[in-house]
Short mmCIF file of all heavy atoms in Angstrom, two decimals:
data_model
loop_
_atom_site.label_atom_id
_atom_site.label_comp_id
_atom_site.label_asym_id
_atom_site.label_seq_id
_atom_site.Cartn_x
_atom_site.Cartn_y
_atom_site.Cartn_z
N MET A 722 -46.71 -23.43 60.23
CA MET A 722 -46.39 -22.56 59.12
C MET A 722 -45.81 -21.27 59.66
O MET A 722 -46.29 -20.73 60.64
CB MET A 722 -47.64 -22.29 58.27
CG MET A 722 -47.40 -21.35 57.14
SD MET A 722 -48.86 -21.00 56.19
CE MET A 722 -48.65 -22.15 54.87
N ALA A 723 -44.81 -20.74 59.03
CA ALA A 723 -44.12 -19.55 59.49
C ALA A 723 -44.85 -18.27 59.12
O ALA A 723 -44.58 -17.22 59.68
CB ALA A 723 -42.71 -19.51 58.93
N ILE A 724 -45.77 -18.32 58.18
CA ILE A 724 -46.56 -17.15 57.80
C ILE A 724 -47.90 -17.24 58.53
O ILE A 724 -48.62 -18.22 58.42
CB ILE A 724 -46.81 -17.09 56.28
CG1 ILE A 724 -45.49 -17.04 55.51
CG2 ILE A 724 -47.69 -15.89 55.93
CD1 ILE A 724 -44.66 -15.80 55.76
N VAL A 725 -48.22 -16.19 59.27
CA VAL A 725 -49.46 -16.12 60.03
C VAL A 725 -50.38 -15.13 59.33
O VAL A 725 -49.96 -14.04 58.95
CB VAL A 725 -49.20 -15.67 61.48
CG1 VAL A 725 -50.50 -15.54 62.24
CG2 VAL A 725 -48.26 -16.63 62.17
N VAL A 726 -51.64 -15.52 59.17
CA VAL A 726 -52.63 -14.67 58.51
C VAL A 726 -53.50 -14.02 59.59
O VAL A 726 -54.15 -14.71 60.36
CB VAL A 726 -53.50 -15.48 57.52
CG1 VAL A 726 -54.52 -14.57 56.84
CG2 VAL A 726 -52.63 -16.19 56.49
N ASN A 727 -53.47 -12.70 59.63
CA ASN A 727 -54.24 -11.94 60.61
C ASN A 727 -55.46 -11.27 59.99
O ASN A 727 -55.92 -10.24 60.47
CB ASN A 727 -53.35 -10.88 61.26
CG ASN A 727 -52.21 -11.49 62.02
OD1 ASN A 727 -52.40 -12.41 62.81
ND2 ASN A 727 -51.01 -11.00 61.78
N LEU A 728 -55.97 -11.85 58.92
CA LEU A 728 -57.10 -11.25 58.21
C LEU A 728 -58.31 -11.09 59.11
O LEU A 728 -58.98 -10.05 59.08
CB LEU A 728 -57.45 -12.08 56.97
CG LEU A 728 -58.58 -11.58 56.09
CD1 LEU A 728 -58.33 -10.15 55.62
CD2 LEU A 728 -58.77 -12.50 54.91
N ASP A 729 -58.59 -12.08 59.93
CA ASP A 729 -59.76 -11.99 60.82
C ASP A 729 -59.63 -10.84 61.81
O ASP A 729 -60.61 -10.17 62.13
CB ASP A 729 -60.00 -13.32 61.53
CG ASP A 729 -58.80 -13.83 62.29
OD1 ASP A 729 -57.67 -13.36 62.03
OD2 ASP A 729 -58.97 -14.72 63.15
N VAL A 730 -58.42 -10.56 62.28
CA VAL A 730 -58.18 -9.46 63.22
C VAL A 730 -58.45 -8.12 62.53
O VAL A 730 -59.14 -7.26 63.08
CB VAL A 730 -56.74 -9.51 63.77
CG1 VAL A 730 -56.44 -8.30 64.63
CG2 VAL A 730 -56.50 -10.80 64.53
N VAL A 731 -57.92 -7.97 61.32
CA VAL A 731 -58.11 -6.71 60.58
C VAL A 731 -59.59 -6.53 60.24
O VAL A 731 -60.13 -5.42 60.36
CB VAL A 731 -57.23 -6.68 59.31
CG1 VAL A 731 -57.48 -5.41 58.50
CG2 VAL A 731 -55.76 -6.80 59.67
N MET A 732 -60.24 -7.61 59.87
CA MET A 732 -61.68 -7.52 59.56
C MET A 732 -62.48 -7.10 60.79
O MET A 732 -63.40 -6.29 60.69
CB MET A 732 -62.19 -8.86 59.02
CG MET A 732 -61.72 -9.16 57.62
SD MET A 732 -62.19 -10.81 57.06
CE MET A 732 -63.97 -10.70 57.18
N ALA A 733 -62.14 -7.64 61.94
CA ALA A 733 -62.85 -7.29 63.17
C ALA A 733 -62.64 -5.81 63.51
O ALA A 733 -63.59 -5.12 63.92
CB ALA A 733 -62.37 -8.17 64.32
N LYS A 734 -61.41 -5.32 63.34
CA LYS A 734 -61.14 -3.91 63.60
C LYS A 734 -61.93 -3.00 62.68
O LYS A 734 -62.34 -1.91 63.07
CB LYS A 734 -59.65 -3.62 63.44
CG LYS A 734 -58.80 -4.17 64.56
CD LYS A 734 -57.34 -3.86 64.32
CE LYS A 734 -56.47 -4.44 65.41
NZ LYS A 734 -55.03 -4.20 65.15
N ARG A 735 -62.13 -3.44 61.43
CA ARG A 735 -62.86 -2.63 60.44
C ARG A 735 -64.37 -2.90 60.49
O ARG A 735 -65.13 -2.29 59.76
CB ARG A 735 -62.35 -2.93 59.03
CG ARG A 735 -60.88 -2.73 58.79
CD ARG A 735 -60.43 -1.29 59.00
NE ARG A 735 -59.08 -1.06 58.51
CZ ARG A 735 -57.96 -1.27 59.20
NH1 ARG A 735 -58.02 -1.76 60.42
NH2 ARG A 735 -56.78 -0.99 58.69
N LYS A 736 -64.76 -3.86 61.32
CA LYS A 736 -66.17 -4.23 61.49
C LYS A 736 -66.83 -4.59 60.16
O LYS A 736 -67.87 -4.07 59.78
CB LYS A 736 -66.95 -3.11 62.19
CG LYS A 736 -66.43 -2.87 63.59
CD LYS A 736 -67.18 -1.79 64.30
CE LYS A 736 -66.57 -1.65 65.69
NZ LYS A 736 -66.96 -0.48 66.38
N ILE A 737 -66.18 -5.52 59.45
CA ILE A 737 -66.71 -6.00 58.18
C ILE A 737 -66.85 -7.52 58.27
O ILE A 737 -65.98 -8.20 58.81
CB ILE A 737 -65.80 -5.58 57.01
CG1 ILE A 737 -66.44 -5.93 55.66
CG2 ILE A 737 -64.42 -6.16 57.13
CD1 ILE A 737 -65.75 -5.32 54.46
N SER A 738 -67.94 -8.04 57.77
CA SER A 738 -68.19 -9.48 57.82
C SER A 738 -67.51 -10.19 56.66
O SER A 738 -67.14 -9.57 55.65
CB SER A 738 -69.70 -9.75 57.76
OG SER A 738 -70.21 -9.40 56.49
N SER A 739 -67.36 -11.48 56.80
CA SER A 739 -66.76 -12.29 55.74
C SER A 739 -67.57 -12.20 54.46
O SER A 739 -67.01 -12.06 53.37
CB SER A 739 -66.66 -13.75 56.17
OG SER A 739 -65.74 -13.89 57.21
N SER A 740 -68.88 -12.27 54.59
CA SER A 740 -69.72 -12.24 53.39
C SER A 740 -69.62 -10.88 52.69
O SER A 740 -69.58 -10.82 51.46
CB SER A 740 -71.17 -12.57 53.73
OG SER A 740 -71.68 -11.67 54.69
N GLU A 741 -69.56 -9.81 53.46
CA GLU A 741 -69.45 -8.47 52.87
C GLU A 741 -68.11 -8.30 52.16
O GLU A 741 -68.05 -7.80 51.02
CB GLU A 741 -69.61 -7.41 53.96
CG GLU A 741 -69.64 -6.01 53.44
CD GLU A 741 -69.83 -4.97 54.55
OE1 GLU A 741 -70.05 -5.35 55.72
OE2 GLU A 741 -69.73 -3.77 54.23
N LEU A 742 -67.02 -8.73 52.81
CA LEU A 742 -65.70 -8.60 52.19
C LEU A 742 -65.60 -9.47 50.95
O LEU A 742 -65.11 -9.03 49.91
CB LEU A 742 -64.59 -8.95 53.18
CG LEU A 742 -63.17 -8.83 52.64
CD1 LEU A 742 -62.88 -7.39 52.19
CD2 LEU A 742 -62.16 -9.30 53.67
N ALA A 743 -66.08 -10.70 51.04
CA ALA A 743 -66.03 -11.61 49.90
C ALA A 743 -66.74 -11.01 48.70
O ALA A 743 -66.24 -11.07 47.57
CB ALA A 743 -66.64 -12.96 50.28
N GLU A 744 -67.90 -10.43 48.93
CA GLU A 744 -68.66 -9.82 47.84
C GLU A 744 -67.91 -8.63 47.24
O GLU A 744 -67.83 -8.48 46.02
CB GLU A 744 -70.03 -9.35 48.35
CG GLU A 744 -70.92 -8.79 47.27
CD GLU A 744 -72.27 -8.37 47.79
OE1 GLU A 744 -72.78 -9.01 48.74
OE2 GLU A 744 -72.83 -7.39 47.24
N LYS A 745 -67.32 -7.80 48.09
CA LYS A 745 -66.63 -6.60 47.61
C LYS A 745 -65.38 -6.93 46.80
O LYS A 745 -65.03 -6.18 45.89
CB LYS A 745 -66.26 -5.70 48.78
CG LYS A 745 -67.43 -4.96 49.37
CD LYS A 745 -66.99 -4.01 50.45
CE LYS A 745 -68.18 -3.20 50.94
NZ LYS A 745 -67.76 -2.11 51.81
N ILE A 746 -64.70 -8.02 47.14
CA ILE A 746 -63.45 -8.34 46.43
C ILE A 746 -63.64 -9.42 45.36
O ILE A 746 -62.69 -9.78 44.68
CB ILE A 746 -62.33 -8.74 47.40
CG1 ILE A 746 -62.66 -10.04 48.14
CG2 ILE A 746 -62.03 -7.62 48.36
CD1 ILE A 746 -61.52 -10.57 48.98
N GLY A 747 -64.85 -9.94 45.23
CA GLY A 747 -65.13 -10.92 44.18
C GLY A 747 -64.54 -12.29 44.47
O GLY A 747 -64.04 -12.96 43.57
N LEU A 748 -64.60 -12.69 45.72
CA LEU A 748 -64.08 -13.99 46.15
C LEU A 748 -65.22 -14.76 46.78
O LEU A 748 -66.13 -14.17 47.36
CB LEU A 748 -62.98 -13.75 47.19
CG LEU A 748 -61.91 -14.79 47.40
CD1 LEU A 748 -61.11 -15.01 46.13
CD2 LEU A 748 -60.97 -14.37 48.51
N THR A 749 -65.19 -16.08 46.67
CA THR A 749 -66.24 -16.86 47.32
C THR A 749 -65.99 -16.84 48.82
O THR A 749 -64.86 -16.68 49.29
CB THR A 749 -66.25 -18.33 46.85
OG1 THR A 749 -65.03 -18.95 47.25
CG2 THR A 749 -66.43 -18.41 45.34
N GLN A 750 -67.05 -17.03 49.60
CA GLN A 750 -66.91 -17.08 51.05
C GLN A 750 -66.04 -18.26 51.47
O GLN A 750 -65.28 -18.15 52.44
CB GLN A 750 -68.28 -17.17 51.71
CG GLN A 750 -69.04 -15.87 51.64
CD GLN A 750 -70.33 -15.91 52.43
OE1 GLN A 750 -70.54 -16.76 53.28
NE2 GLN A 750 -71.22 -14.98 52.14
N ALA A 751 -66.11 -19.34 50.73
CA ALA A 751 -65.29 -20.52 51.05
C ALA A 751 -63.81 -20.20 50.88
O ALA A 751 -62.99 -20.55 51.74
CB ALA A 751 -65.68 -21.69 50.16
N ASN A 752 -63.45 -19.53 49.78
CA ASN A 752 -62.04 -19.18 49.57
C ASN A 752 -61.56 -18.13 50.56
O ASN A 752 -60.41 -18.19 51.01
CB ASN A 752 -61.81 -18.70 48.14
CG ASN A 752 -61.81 -19.85 47.16
OD1 ASN A 752 -61.57 -20.99 47.52
ND2 ASN A 752 -62.08 -19.55 45.90
N LEU A 753 -62.42 -17.20 50.94
CA LEU A 753 -62.05 -16.22 51.95
C LEU A 753 -61.82 -16.92 53.30
O LEU A 753 -60.89 -16.59 54.03
CB LEU A 753 -63.11 -15.14 52.09
CG LEU A 753 -62.78 -14.01 53.06
CD1 LEU A 753 -61.52 -13.28 52.64
CD2 LEU A 753 -63.95 -13.05 53.17
N SER A 754 -62.64 -17.89 53.60
CA SER A 754 -62.48 -18.66 54.83
C SER A 754 -61.14 -19.40 54.85
O SER A 754 -60.47 -19.45 55.89
CB SER A 754 -63.63 -19.66 54.98
OG SER A 754 -63.45 -20.45 56.13
N ILE A 755 -60.75 -19.95 53.72
CA ILE A 755 -59.46 -20.65 53.62
C ILE A 755 -58.32 -19.66 53.90
O ILE A 755 -57.37 -19.99 54.61
CB ILE A 755 -59.31 -21.31 52.23
CG1 ILE A 755 -60.26 -22.50 52.13
CG2 ILE A 755 -57.87 -21.73 51.98
CD1 ILE A 755 -60.40 -23.06 50.73
N LEU A 756 -58.44 -18.45 53.40
CA LEU A 756 -57.43 -17.43 53.68
C LEU A 756 -57.42 -17.06 55.15
O LEU A 756 -56.36 -16.97 55.78
CB LEU A 756 -57.70 -16.17 52.85
CG LEU A 756 -57.32 -16.20 51.39
CD1 LEU A 756 -57.79 -14.92 50.70
CD2 LEU A 756 -55.82 -16.35 51.24
N LYS A 757 -58.60 -16.82 55.72
CA LYS A 757 -58.70 -16.39 57.11
C LYS A 757 -58.13 -17.42 58.08
O LYS A 757 -57.53 -17.04 59.08
CB LYS A 757 -60.16 -16.12 57.48
CG LYS A 757 -60.69 -14.82 56.98
CD LYS A 757 -62.16 -14.63 57.31
CE LYS A 757 -62.46 -14.83 58.75
NZ LYS A 757 -63.86 -14.62 59.08
N THR A 758 -58.31 -18.68 57.78
CA THR A 758 -57.85 -19.72 58.70
C THR A 758 -56.39 -20.10 58.50
O THR A 758 -55.85 -20.92 59.23
CB THR A 758 -58.72 -20.99 58.57
OG1 THR A 758 -58.66 -21.44 57.22
CG2 THR A 758 -60.16 -20.71 58.97
N GLY A 759 -55.75 -19.49 57.51
CA GLY A 759 -54.34 -19.77 57.26
C GLY A 759 -54.10 -21.08 56.54
O GLY A 759 -52.98 -21.57 56.50
N LYS A 760 -55.13 -21.66 55.95
CA LYS A 760 -55.00 -22.94 55.25
C LYS A 760 -54.60 -22.77 53.79
O LYS A 760 -54.31 -23.75 53.12
CB LYS A 760 -56.31 -23.72 55.34
CG LYS A 760 -56.64 -24.15 56.75
CD LYS A 760 -57.93 -24.92 56.81
CE LYS A 760 -58.25 -25.31 58.25
NZ LYS A 760 -59.52 -25.99 58.36
N ALA A 761 -54.56 -21.53 53.31
CA ALA A 761 -54.19 -21.27 51.92
C ALA A 761 -52.70 -21.53 51.72
O ALA A 761 -51.88 -21.22 52.58
CB ALA A 761 -54.53 -19.84 51.54
N LYS A 762 -52.36 -22.11 50.60
CA LYS A 762 -50.96 -22.36 50.25
C LYS A 762 -50.34 -21.15 49.55
O LYS A 762 -49.12 -21.01 49.51
CB LYS A 762 -50.84 -23.58 49.35
CG LYS A 762 -51.37 -24.86 49.96
CD LYS A 762 -50.46 -25.33 51.05
CE LYS A 762 -50.98 -26.66 51.58
NZ LYS A 762 -50.50 -26.97 52.89
N ALA A 763 -51.19 -20.30 48.97
CA ALA A 763 -50.71 -19.14 48.22
C ALA A 763 -51.84 -18.11 48.15
O ALA A 763 -53.00 -18.43 48.43
CB ALA A 763 -50.31 -19.56 46.81
N ILE A 764 -51.47 -16.90 47.79
CA ILE A 764 -52.46 -15.85 47.56
C ILE A 764 -51.98 -15.03 46.37
O ILE A 764 -50.79 -14.72 46.24
CB ILE A 764 -52.66 -14.95 48.81
CG1 ILE A 764 -53.76 -13.92 48.55
CG2 ILE A 764 -51.38 -14.31 49.25
CD1 ILE A 764 -54.21 -13.16 49.79
N ARG A 765 -52.88 -14.71 45.49
CA ARG A 765 -52.55 -13.89 44.33
C ARG A 765 -52.36 -12.45 44.80
O ARG A 765 -53.07 -11.98 45.68
CB ARG A 765 -53.67 -13.93 43.29
CG ARG A 765 -53.84 -15.26 42.64
CD ARG A 765 -55.05 -15.21 41.71
NE ARG A 765 -55.35 -16.54 41.23
CZ ARG A 765 -55.20 -16.91 39.96
NH1 ARG A 765 -54.81 -16.04 39.06
NH2 ARG A 765 -55.47 -18.14 39.60
N PHE A 766 -51.41 -11.78 44.17
CA PHE A 766 -51.20 -10.37 44.51
C PHE A 766 -52.46 -9.56 44.22
O PHE A 766 -52.76 -8.61 44.95
CB PHE A 766 -50.01 -9.79 43.74
CG PHE A 766 -48.69 -10.17 44.33
CD1 PHE A 766 -47.68 -10.64 43.51
CD2 PHE A 766 -48.43 -10.06 45.68
CE1 PHE A 766 -46.44 -10.98 44.04
CE2 PHE A 766 -47.20 -10.39 46.22
CZ PHE A 766 -46.20 -10.85 45.39
N SER A 767 -53.20 -9.92 43.19
CA SER A 767 -54.42 -9.17 42.87
C SER A 767 -55.46 -9.34 43.99
O SER A 767 -56.17 -8.39 44.32
CB SER A 767 -55.00 -9.62 41.53
OG SER A 767 -55.30 -11.00 41.54
N THR A 768 -55.52 -10.52 44.59
CA THR A 768 -56.44 -10.75 45.71
C THR A 768 -55.98 -9.97 46.93
O THR A 768 -56.79 -9.31 47.60
CB THR A 768 -56.53 -12.25 46.04
OG1 THR A 768 -56.97 -12.96 44.88
CG2 THR A 768 -57.48 -12.50 47.19
N LEU A 769 -54.69 -10.01 47.21
CA LEU A 769 -54.14 -9.26 48.34
C LEU A 769 -54.37 -7.77 48.15
O LEU A 769 -54.75 -7.06 49.09
CB LEU A 769 -52.65 -9.57 48.48
CG LEU A 769 -51.92 -8.96 49.65
CD1 LEU A 769 -52.54 -9.38 50.98
CD2 LEU A 769 -50.45 -9.36 49.61
N GLU A 770 -54.19 -7.29 46.93
CA GLU A 770 -54.43 -5.88 46.63
C GLU A 770 -55.89 -5.51 46.88
O GLU A 770 -56.18 -4.47 47.49
CB GLU A 770 -54.06 -5.60 45.18
CG GLU A 770 -54.27 -4.17 44.76
CD GLU A 770 -53.95 -3.93 43.29
OE1 GLU A 770 -53.45 -4.85 42.61
OE2 GLU A 770 -54.20 -2.80 42.82
N SER A 771 -56.81 -6.36 46.44
CA SER A 771 -58.24 -6.10 46.65
C SER A 771 -58.60 -6.06 48.13
O SER A 771 -59.36 -5.20 48.58
CB SER A 771 -59.08 -7.16 45.95
OG SER A 771 -58.89 -7.11 44.56
N ILE A 772 -58.04 -6.99 48.89
CA ILE A 772 -58.30 -7.04 50.34
C ILE A 772 -57.78 -5.76 50.99
O ILE A 772 -58.48 -5.13 51.79
CB ILE A 772 -57.66 -8.29 50.97
CG1 ILE A 772 -58.40 -9.55 50.50
CG2 ILE A 772 -57.67 -8.19 52.49
CD1 ILE A 772 -57.70 -10.85 50.87
N CYS A 773 -56.55 -5.39 50.67
CA CYS A 773 -55.96 -4.19 51.26
C CYS A 773 -56.73 -2.93 50.87
O CYS A 773 -56.92 -2.03 51.70
CB CYS A 773 -54.49 -4.05 50.84
SG CYS A 773 -53.42 -5.29 51.61
N ARG A 774 -57.20 -2.86 49.64
CA ARG A 774 -57.98 -1.71 49.20
C ARG A 774 -59.27 -1.59 50.00
O ARG A 774 -59.62 -0.52 50.50
CB ARG A 774 -58.29 -1.80 47.70
CG ARG A 774 -59.05 -0.60 47.15
CD ARG A 774 -59.33 -0.68 45.66
NE ARG A 774 -60.08 -1.89 45.32
CZ ARG A 774 -59.57 -2.92 44.62
NH1 ARG A 774 -58.35 -2.87 44.17
NH2 ARG A 774 -60.30 -3.97 44.36
N GLU A 775 -59.98 -2.69 50.17
CA GLU A 775 -61.26 -2.67 50.87
C GLU A 775 -61.11 -2.45 52.37
O GLU A 775 -61.96 -1.82 53.00
CB GLU A 775 -62.04 -3.96 50.62
CG GLU A 775 -62.56 -4.10 49.21
CD GLU A 775 -63.49 -2.97 48.80
OE1 GLU A 775 -64.28 -2.46 49.64
OE2 GLU A 775 -63.44 -2.58 47.62
N LEU A 776 -60.03 -2.98 52.95
CA LEU A 776 -59.83 -2.85 54.40
C LEU A 776 -58.96 -1.65 54.77
O LEU A 776 -58.72 -1.40 55.95
CB LEU A 776 -59.20 -4.13 54.96
CG LEU A 776 -60.05 -5.39 54.84
CD1 LEU A 776 -59.30 -6.59 55.41
CD2 LEU A 776 -61.40 -5.22 55.55
N HIS A 777 -58.48 -0.92 53.75
CA HIS A 777 -57.62 0.25 53.98
C HIS A 777 -56.45 -0.13 54.89
O HIS A 777 -56.25 0.47 55.96
CB HIS A 777 -58.41 1.42 54.58
CG HIS A 777 -59.61 1.78 53.77
ND1 HIS A 777 -59.52 2.44 52.56
CD2 HIS A 777 -60.93 1.54 53.97
CE1 HIS A 777 -60.73 2.62 52.08
NE2 HIS A 777 -61.60 2.08 52.91
N CYS A 778 -55.69 -1.13 54.44
CA CYS A 778 -54.56 -1.61 55.22
C CYS A 778 -53.39 -1.96 54.31
O CYS A 778 -53.50 -1.84 53.09
CB CYS A 778 -54.97 -2.83 56.05
SG CYS A 778 -55.36 -4.29 55.07
N GLN A 779 -52.30 -2.34 54.91
CA GLN A 779 -51.11 -2.77 54.20
C GLN A 779 -51.01 -4.29 54.26
O GLN A 779 -51.55 -4.92 55.19
CB GLN A 779 -49.86 -2.16 54.85
CG GLN A 779 -49.78 -0.65 54.73
CD GLN A 779 -49.64 -0.21 53.29
OE1 GLN A 779 -48.82 -0.75 52.53
NE2 GLN A 779 -50.44 0.77 52.88
N PRO A 780 -50.32 -4.93 53.30
CA PRO A 780 -50.16 -6.38 53.34
C PRO A 780 -49.57 -6.88 54.67
O PRO A 780 -49.96 -7.94 55.17
CB PRO A 780 -49.21 -6.68 52.17
CG PRO A 780 -49.48 -5.57 51.20
CD PRO A 780 -49.74 -4.36 52.06
N GLY A 781 -48.68 -6.08 55.26
CA GLY A 781 -48.09 -6.45 56.54
C GLY A 781 -49.07 -6.45 57.70
O GLY A 781 -48.80 -7.04 58.75
N ASP A 782 -50.22 -5.80 57.52
CA ASP A 782 -51.26 -5.85 58.55
C ASP A 782 -51.96 -7.20 58.53
O ASP A 782 -52.51 -7.64 59.55
CB ASP A 782 -52.30 -4.75 58.32
CG ASP A 782 -51.71 -3.35 58.42
OD1 ASP A 782 -50.73 -3.17 59.17
OD2 ASP A 782 -52.23 -2.44 57.74
N ILE A 783 -51.95 -7.84 57.38
CA ILE A 783 -52.66 -9.11 57.19
C ILE A 783 -51.74 -10.31 57.34
O ILE A 783 -52.13 -11.33 57.89
CB ILE A 783 -53.32 -9.14 55.79
CG1 ILE A 783 -54.36 -8.03 55.69
CG2 ILE A 783 -53.95 -10.49 55.50
CD1 ILE A 783 -54.89 -7.83 54.29
N LEU A 784 -50.51 -10.19 56.86
CA LEU A 784 -49.56 -11.29 56.87
C LEU A 784 -48.39 -10.98 57.79
O LEU A 784 -47.87 -9.88 57.78
CB LEU A 784 -49.03 -11.56 55.46
CG LEU A 784 -50.08 -11.85 54.38
CD1 LEU A 784 -49.41 -11.92 53.02
CD2 LEU A 784 -50.81 -13.14 54.69
N ALA A 785 -47.98 -11.97 58.56
CA ALA A 785 -46.82 -11.81 59.45
C ALA A 785 -45.95 -13.06 59.37
O ALA A 785 -46.46 -14.17 59.19
CB ALA A 785 -47.29 -11.58 60.88
N TYR A 786 -44.66 -12.87 59.53
CA TYR A 786 -43.71 -13.99 59.54
C TYR A 786 -43.31 -14.25 60.99
O TYR A 786 -42.96 -13.34 61.73
CB TYR A 786 -42.47 -13.66 58.72
CG TYR A 786 -41.38 -14.69 58.87
CD1 TYR A 786 -41.48 -15.91 58.24
CD2 TYR A 786 -40.28 -14.44 59.67
CE1 TYR A 786 -40.49 -16.87 58.40
CE2 TYR A 786 -39.29 -15.39 59.83
CZ TYR A 786 -39.39 -16.59 59.20
OH TYR A 786 -38.43 -17.54 59.36
N ILE A 787 -43.37 -15.53 61.37
CA ILE A 787 -42.91 -15.95 62.68
C ILE A 787 -41.85 -17.01 62.52
O ILE A 787 -42.07 -18.01 61.84
CB ILE A 787 -44.09 -16.49 63.53
CG1 ILE A 787 -45.11 -15.40 63.72
CG2 ILE A 787 -43.59 -17.06 64.83
CD1 ILE A 787 -46.09 -15.57 64.82
N ASP A 788 -40.71 -16.79 63.12
CA ASP A 788 -39.61 -17.73 63.06
C ASP A 788 -39.96 -18.92 63.95
O ASP A 788 -39.96 -18.82 65.17
CB ASP A 788 -38.31 -17.06 63.53
CG ASP A 788 -37.11 -17.96 63.37
OD1 ASP A 788 -37.25 -19.10 62.87
OD2 ASP A 788 -36.01 -17.51 63.75
N GLU A 789 -40.29 -20.05 63.32
CA GLU A 789 -40.71 -21.23 64.06
C GLU A 789 -39.60 -21.78 64.96
O GLU A 789 -39.87 -22.36 65.99
CB GLU A 789 -41.21 -22.31 63.12
CG GLU A 789 -42.52 -21.94 62.45
CD GLU A 789 -43.03 -23.01 61.50
OE1 GLU A 789 -42.21 -23.81 60.99
OE2 GLU A 789 -44.24 -23.04 61.26
N ASP A 790 -38.34 -21.58 64.58
CA ASP A 790 -37.23 -22.06 65.38
C ASP A 790 -37.17 -21.33 66.73
O ASP A 790 -36.75 -21.91 67.73
CB ASP A 790 -35.90 -21.88 64.65
CG ASP A 790 -35.81 -22.79 63.43
OD1 ASP A 790 -36.48 -23.84 63.41
OD2 ASP A 790 -35.06 -22.46 62.50
N SER A 791 -37.59 -20.08 66.75
CA SER A 791 -37.56 -19.32 68.00
C SER A 791 -38.66 -19.75 68.96
O SER A 791 -38.62 -19.42 70.13
CB SER A 791 -37.65 -17.84 67.71
OG SER A 791 -38.93 -17.51 67.20
N LEU A 792 -39.66 -20.49 68.46
CA LEU A 792 -40.76 -20.96 69.30
C LEU A 792 -40.41 -22.25 70.04
O LEU A 792 -41.11 -22.63 70.97
CB LEU A 792 -42.01 -21.17 68.46
CG LEU A 792 -42.57 -19.92 67.77
CD1 LEU A 792 -43.75 -20.30 66.88
CD2 LEU A 792 -42.96 -18.86 68.77
N LYS A 793 -39.34 -22.90 69.63
CA LYS A 793 -38.98 -24.19 70.23
C LYS A 793 -38.16 -24.02 71.47
O LYS A 793 -37.56 -23.08 71.78
CB LYS A 793 -38.22 -25.04 69.22
CG LYS A 793 -39.10 -25.42 68.05
CD LYS A 793 -38.31 -26.22 67.04
CE LYS A 793 -39.21 -26.54 65.86
NZ LYS A 793 -38.53 -27.25 64.82
#
């Protein structure tokens, strides 16, 4: 996938656990785990907004684009 999710990195820098973040943004731990592992097919802007608000970050801190063709 060309979109890389760096949510776990940002969470580690902010020293917040998955369970704490999930509770603060109103998401289940299972759904947060799907986001963290990059297995999500989509993310709602409202969820992204909540994550950014709680982690005091920008969407670009969490999501990155990698050109897969350049990796070959």
Side-chain angles (χ1 to χ4, degrees):
M722 178 181 263
I724 301 295
V725 177
V726 180
N727 297 312
L728 181 56
D729 55 342
V730 175
V731 177
M732 288 174 60
K734 287 180 182 177
R735 304 298 192 274
K736 297 181 180 167
I737 187 169
S738 68
S739 293
S740 58
E741 185 179 354
L742 181 60
E744 184 178 327
K745 286 184 175 191
I746 65 173
L748 204 62
T749 65
Q750 287 186 18
N752 285 338
L753 184 60
S754 177
I755 289 169
L756 283 174
K757 282 177 53 179
T758 58
K760 294 180 182 177
K762 300 289 184 201
I764 183 170
R765 293 176 188 247
F766 282 132
S767 59
T768 302
L769 184 59
E770 180 183 354
S771 296
I772 290 170
C773 289
R774 183 179 57 249
E775 290 301 325
L776 296 179
H777 306 287
C778 67
Q779 294 295 313
D782 298 330
I783 297 170
L784 303 173
Y786 171 76
I787 299 198
D788 185 1
E789 291 180 335
D790 293 335
S791 68
L792 298 176
K793 294 178 182 177

